[in-house]
Amino acid sequence: MAYAITQTCCNDASCVSVCPVNCIHPTPDEPEFGTTDMLYIDPRACIDCGACADACPVDAVFPVDRLRGPDTVFGDLNRDWFRDHPNDHAWGAPSFPRSLPGEVGTLRIAVVGTGPSAGYTAQELLRCTSAELTMIDRLPVTGGLLRHGVAPDHQSTKRIAESFASVFHDPRLRMHLNLEVGADVTHEELAAHHHAVVYAVGAASDRRLGIPGEDLPGSLPATAFVGWYNADPTVPGDAVELSAERVVVVGNGNVAVDIARILLTDPDRLAVTDIADHALAALRRSRVREVVLLARRGPEQAAWTRTEFLALRRLPGVELVVEDHPEVRAAIEAAAPDSRAGQLVGLPLVPYDGGAEPGPGRRIVLRFLSAPVGLGGDGRVESVTVERTRMTAAGQAEATGERDTLRAALVVRSIGHRGVPVPGLPFDERTGTVAQRGGRVVDPATGRALPGAYVVGWAKRGPSGGIGANRACARETVDALLDDAVARALPAPPAGRQEFERLVRRRRPDAVGLRELRAVERAERERGEAQGRPRVKLATVAELLAAGRRR
């Protein structure tokens, strides 16, 4: 019986590299790899060896005959992908791990960030070089979006952190947490102590709507809402108020879908996850019964992935409906089965009045061709003014002038992350990324690379691609760094590792390292064990530092 890949696929292609018959696609060398929702196993070519299941870092691969309930659909999805993408499974040219010639010597490399892109970068450097690494994070805990971005009911996805744990414990790696580059140390100081600095700082800000009332209380960016339920210590525990019955989420990508799902999931189901205690308590008191997902464009342009939308469709006790509209109805009726609009087939098409109180029960309303143009309220958000749009022949949404108002006391904008400037590095305001070419930081005026400066992840390519996409991204950046090392293009740092550690102690006496991180890990897991949960997160910097000192 063949194996199948299921919802929690992280797309990092660990399974591809171990398959003896090359039956898992798309591979990193194929054009679909960067855009597909997940990877797929061809049931006709699979030899049932199980190597992919053993290698999967997020436990997403199972024998087809062991899939149960709603997961049985993934057997069909894996098979059908190869119907539309025929493949002879021929092997491409072999690739071999990079290595540095001995005369290069031992490099000292700093990696700024500890999220997925930083983890893959460190993995690659430790695997193919003898480098000594320094990892830095502004928070006193590692993980980046793995800890503070992945929804708490996606525990399997978080298992990829286990593969990075061995990286953080490598004897060639030193860790400095609760240390902010740009505030506590500068890029120039990092460069003075390391041959190269790789920035894996993500996209910490969010895109704005640019409409009146956007800054009223009750209007939040998705980054704050997600950080709130994930115990991000930079987001206050009282940042979200759930006293109203309707919440409007602007956007329909995976983050918007996560927010809608968390808002309406039975809190008892969340109580066995690592959701923040303050968020769980608020959700138990919540009066929210309806979540409206506003999308400026039509159903064919929906931004969610198939796997996330499948999870939304089978959310227990929650009705999923589509607002009835002639253009939306026509798009669904004409949709191909595997298209975004085709995923809506079978859902109720209902008239919708956002000015009325929500009806009985809990439901999610998908409202397409609707763009928010203003938030209203006396001192806080009370309503959203929405303008209808229509899709042009060029696939763009244009305003029709028709407007209506939705009553809502909480509006979450989920229209994309945006990078923030890194002090000391050139920044591309248009893309919200560090100016770069192939992972090398460049001077945008001249196009010349800044010696010893590199970037990876969302700070490099923008906020696109899931966790696994960072693996190929990290490999490209590391390849550029190694090419420069071989070409003797890396500047020799005048100071060493010990001098840098003394600098850190002077600048940030409460910076923490691996021992403190282990103590935090033990504390959170012990608290979780007492409650039947994977962990109970410490939600403030003070709590994290106190737990680290109790080692």
Side-chain angles (χ1 to χ4, degrees), residues 139 148 220-221 223-241 276-280 282 285 538-541 543:
L139 296 178
H148 299 127
L220 293 174
T223 49
F225 195 94
V226 171
W228 172 76
Y229 65 60
N230 272 321
D232 185 330
T234 66
V235 180
D238 60 356
V240 176
E241 171 63 52
D277 278 353
H278 56 249
L280 182 61
R285 300 189 303 267
L538 300 166
T540 68
V541 169
E543 289 175 317

Side-chain angles (χ1 to χ4, degrees), residues 323 325 367-370 386-389 398-402:
E323 184 202 27
H325 180 279
R367 180 167 174 167
F368 296 96
L369 303 176
S370 300
V386 175
E387 184 168 44
R388 283 291 184 187
T389 62
E398 66 176 14
T400 66
E402 178 188 353

Side-chain angles (χ1 to χ4, degrees), residues 226-299:
V226 171
W228 172 76
Y229 65 60
N230 272 321
D232 185 330
T234 66
V235 180
D238 60 356
V240 176
E241 171 63 52
L242 301 178
S243 59
E245 295 183 333
R246 177 182 291 123
V247 174
V248 172
V249 180
V250 182
N252 64 4
N254 282 351
V255 174
V257 167
D258 281 347
I259 291 169
R261 192 181 64 252
I262 294 298
L263 279 168
L264 293 180
T265 293
D266 183 343
D268 286 342
R269 294 170 61 90
L270 296 173
V272 297
T273 73
D274 64 351
I275 190 170
D277 278 353
H278 56 249
L280 182 61
L283 289 165
R284 290 195 184 280
R285 300 189 303 267
S286 172
R287 298 182 63 230
V288 176
R289 293 189 289 113
E290 180 178 281
V291 179
V292 183
L293 296 184
L294 288 184
R296 180 174 53 88
R297 298 192 293 172

Side-chain angles (χ1 to χ4, degrees), residues 312-329:
L312 199 66
R313 289 194 65 151
R314 60 195 191 211
L315 189 60
V318 177
E319 184 184 22
L320 180 63
V321 303
V322 181
E323 184 202 27
D324 200 1
H325 180 279
E327 190 174 332
V328 172
R329 181 181 287 270

Side-chain angles (χ1 to χ4, degrees), residues 17-32:
S17 61
V18 300
C19 177
V21 292
N22 196 30
C23 73
I24 305 175
H25 296 269
T27 70
D29 298 325
E30 294 170 339
E32 300 93 343

Side-chain angles (χ1 to χ4, degrees), residues 514-526:
L514 180 59
R515 287 190 301 171
E516 292 85 356
L517 179 65
R518 286 170 171 165
V520 169
E521 179 78 7
R522 285 195 303 271
E524 291 188 338
R525 292 201 176 276
E526 287 169 1

Side-chain angles (χ1 to χ4, degrees), residues 2 18 29 65 107 131 154 167 169 172 186 313 318 320 332 339 352 395 435 456 527:
V18 300
D29 298 325
D65 61 352
L107 299 177
H154 285 357
V167 172
H169 288 74
R172 287 186 284 143
T186 66
R313 289 194 65 151
V318 177
L320 180 63
I332 295 173
S339 67
Y352 183 70
V456 68
R527 296 174 73 200

Side-chain angles (χ1 to χ4, degrees), residues 342-427:
Q343 295 170 26
L344 304 177
V345 171
L347 292 178
L349 287 161
V350 301
Y352 183 70
D353 180 6
E357 293 293 330
R362 293 177 294 159
R363 72 173 182 171
I364 296 171
V365 181
L366 304 177
R367 180 167 174 167
F368 296 96
L369 303 176
S370 300
V373 292
L375 307 183
D378 184 10
R380 67 169 294 113
V381 171
E382 296 173 358
S383 64
V384 185
T385 301
V386 175
E387 184 168 44
R388 283 291 184 187
T389 62
R390 58 173 167 250
M391 297 303 296
T392 67
Q396 300 299 313
E398 66 176 14
T400 66
E402 178 188 353
R403 295 188 175 189
D404 67 325
T405 300
L406 282 64
R407 294 172 57 183
L410 177 61
V411 176
V412 183
R413 63 178 183 270
S414 182
I415 55 174
H417 289 69
R418 178 176 171 81
V420 297
V422 178
L425 297 185
F427 188 71

